[in-house]
């Protein structure tokens, strides 16, 4: 187990290093010049050159990358090229919105996918099972922006139960208001992601139903559902853990979009603003943190899968 853990840690570190190099390179080849943006349309070539020198943008790219990644290793993600604010501090403030939104979205997705996916498989061939299967395919195809707008119209405009946009200035110092402002965005992401996850749960449950242990349980007097719950859910759980790890990327992307729709001051909204402003240091830090979050969750999923799957332990 220790050897497996060390191997995965090395792969995680290599993945982060490769991701940082790609992020840095891609941002440098994009059109636009932050020095020209700061100088304005009336800025002379000498002023632009002076700003580039002040910001360190005139140094060779390898030197810029090594300087940035060296700071990252010590916890310093740099400072905004436009405001001078530390990137890490800005990310910490915005993460207090994005991280709870991601956790709530994942919980909603699981609450939808697991019970309805299992029910859809157990009731296969019947009207309710077919209806659940069709509903999951339809919801999985719904654009997350459209789903957010429809939910806002229903629960905020028509019913008036929840706020349509914004996050309280007091933040989590008023937890009831903060939580209410995240319910609609979390439902939006969770319903779409849950519909996609539900299809995998249904397939895993159908596969488990066809296994020998379910038939053996039936031969001992258990119903198919009882045998599935007693012996089949562990194998279904393995599939859920694997697919959920893959869907984290979808939840992160969904959060970036939904924060725009619901006017939430999270990392996704900040990323969109900083990309438009060509604030390279901010965008680098934001992309690296989001990528690291996805890789870290994949790392945790691998460990959980290894811990609960005896076949992987024997192979290791």
């Amino acid at each position: 187990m220790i050897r497996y853990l060390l191997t995965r840690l090395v792969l995680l570190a290599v993945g982060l290093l490769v991701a940082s190099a790609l992020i840095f390179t891609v941002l440098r080849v994009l059109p636009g010049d932050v020095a020209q943006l700061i100088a304005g349309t009336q800025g002379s070539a000498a002023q632009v050159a002076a700003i580039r020198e002040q910001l360190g943008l005139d140094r060779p790219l390898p030197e810029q990358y090594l300087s940035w990644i060296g700071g990252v290793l010590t916890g310093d993600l740099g400072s905004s090229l436009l405001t001078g604010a530390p990137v890490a501090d800005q990310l910490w403030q915005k993460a207090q919105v994005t991280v709870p939104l991601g956790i709530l979205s994942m919980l909603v997705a699981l609450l939808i996918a697991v019970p309805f996916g299992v029910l859809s498989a157990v009731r296969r061939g019947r009207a309710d099972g077919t209806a659940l299967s069709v509903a999951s395919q339809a919801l999985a195809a719904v654009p997350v922006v459209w789903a957010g707008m429809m939910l806002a119209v229903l629960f905020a405009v028509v019913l008036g139960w929840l706020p349509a946009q914004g996050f309280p200035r007091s933040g989590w110092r008023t937890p009831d208001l903060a939580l209410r402002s995240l319910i609609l965005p979390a439902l939006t992401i969770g319903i779409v992601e849950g519909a996609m996850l539900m299809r995998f749960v249904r397939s895993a449950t159908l596969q488990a139903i066809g296994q020998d242990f379910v038939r053996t349980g039936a031969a001992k007097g258990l119903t198919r559902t009882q045998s599935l719950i007693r012996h089949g859910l562990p194998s279904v759980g393995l599939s859920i853990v694997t697919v959920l790890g893959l869907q984290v990327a979808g939840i992160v992307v969904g959060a970036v979009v939904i924060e725009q729709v619901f006017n939430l001051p999270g990392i996704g909204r900040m990323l969109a603003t900083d990309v438009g402003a060509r604030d390279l240091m901010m965008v680098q830090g934001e992309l690296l943190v989001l990528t690291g979050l996805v890789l870290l969750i994949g790392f945790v999923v691998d460990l959980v899968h290894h811990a609960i799957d005896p076949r992987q332990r024997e192979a290791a």
Side-chain angles (χ1 to χ4, degrees):
M1 180 64 183
I2 295 178
R3 182 179 179 182
Y4 179 82
L5 176 60
L6 292 176
T7 302
R8 301 308 300 177
L9 282 173
V10 170
L11 291 176
L12 175 62
V14 172
L16 284 171
L17 185 62
V18 172
S20 69
L22 288 174
I23 290 169
F24 181 88
T25 303
V26 170
L27 289 178
R28 290 311 182 281
V29 299
L30 290 177
D33 186 355
V34 66
Q36 183 66 65
L37 182 65
I38 295 174
T41 57
Q42 303 299 322
S44 64
Q47 290 175 324
V48 172
I51 293 173
R52 288 180 60 82
E53 182 180 359
Q54 179 184 357
L55 298 177
L57 299 177
D58 60 333
R59 294 181 297 167
L61 292 183
E63 184 180 339
Q64 292 185 46
Y65 173 74
L66 291 176
S67 175
W68 174 58
I69 202 65
V72 169
L73 293 176
T74 62
D76 181 12
L77 297 177
S79 300
S80 168
L81 298 178
L82 300 179
T83 66
V87 176
D89 291 348
Q90 296 294 310
L91 282 171
W92 171 248
Q93 293 177 7
K94 305 302 182 182
Q96 297 179 46
V97 176
T98 301
V99 172
L101 173 60
I103 293 173
L104 288 174
S105 301
M106 193 175 297
L107 289 176
V108 172
L110 286 173
L111 289 174
I112 292 173
V114 176
F116 290 113
V118 173
L119 181 61
S120 175
V122 172
R123 303 288 292 180
R124 179 184 58 169
R126 302 185 183 182
D128 51 353
T130 302
L132 287 173
S133 180
V134 172
S136 68
Q137 295 184 24
L139 288 174
V142 172
V144 68
V145 173
W146 186 86
M149 293 172 62
M150 293 301 100
L151 288 175
V153 169
L154 176 61
F155 290 103
V157 178
V158 177
L159 299 177
W161 292 351
L162 297 167
Q165 285 190 330
F167 194 77
R169 291 181 177 272
S170 56
W172 289 101
R173 292 191 297 274
T174 51
D176 54 334
L177 296 178
L179 184 60
R180 278 171 53 84
S181 68
L182 294 182
I183 290 177
L184 278 180
L187 281 176
T188 302
I189 301 173
I191 288 173
V192 176
E193 293 295 328
M196 290 188 283
L197 181 59
M198 177 179 163
R199 297 162 63 186
F200 289 100
V201 174
R202 181 179 184 274
S203 298
T205 306
L206 288 174
Q207 185 177 4
I209 289 175
Q211 298 297 319
D212 292 337
F213 53 76
V214 175
R215 291 192 290 267
T216 302
K220 292 181 178 180
L222 296 176
T223 65
R224 184 175 64 174
T225 302
Q226 290 173 333
S227 182
L228 177 64
I229 293 175
R230 185 172 299 181
H231 304 293
L233 286 185
S235 63
V236 175
L238 288 174
S239 299
I240 293 174
V241 168
T242 303
V243 176
L244 189 60
L246 297 175
Q247 281 197 285
V248 168
I251 291 176
V252 169
V253 174
V256 171
V257 176
I258 285 302
E259 285 178 3
Q260 301 293 316
V261 175
F262 288 95
N263 196 27
L264 295 174
I267 296 177
R269 186 181 173 195
M270 182 172 65
L271 175 61
T273 301
D274 292 333
V275 168
R278 287 288 296 171
D279 195 338
L280 298 180
M281 293 302 295
M282 291 294 296
V283 176
Q284 282 175 184
E286 292 152 4
L287 290 178
L288 185 63
V289 168
L290 292 176
T291 304
L293 179 62
V294 173
L295 292 177
L296 180 61
I297 293 179
F299 169 76
V300 173
V301 167
D302 280 344
L303 292 184
V304 172
H305 207 288
H306 183 80
I308 63 179
D309 190 350
R311 294 169 299 181
Q312 286 201 13
R313 292 198 300 271
E314 291 174 3

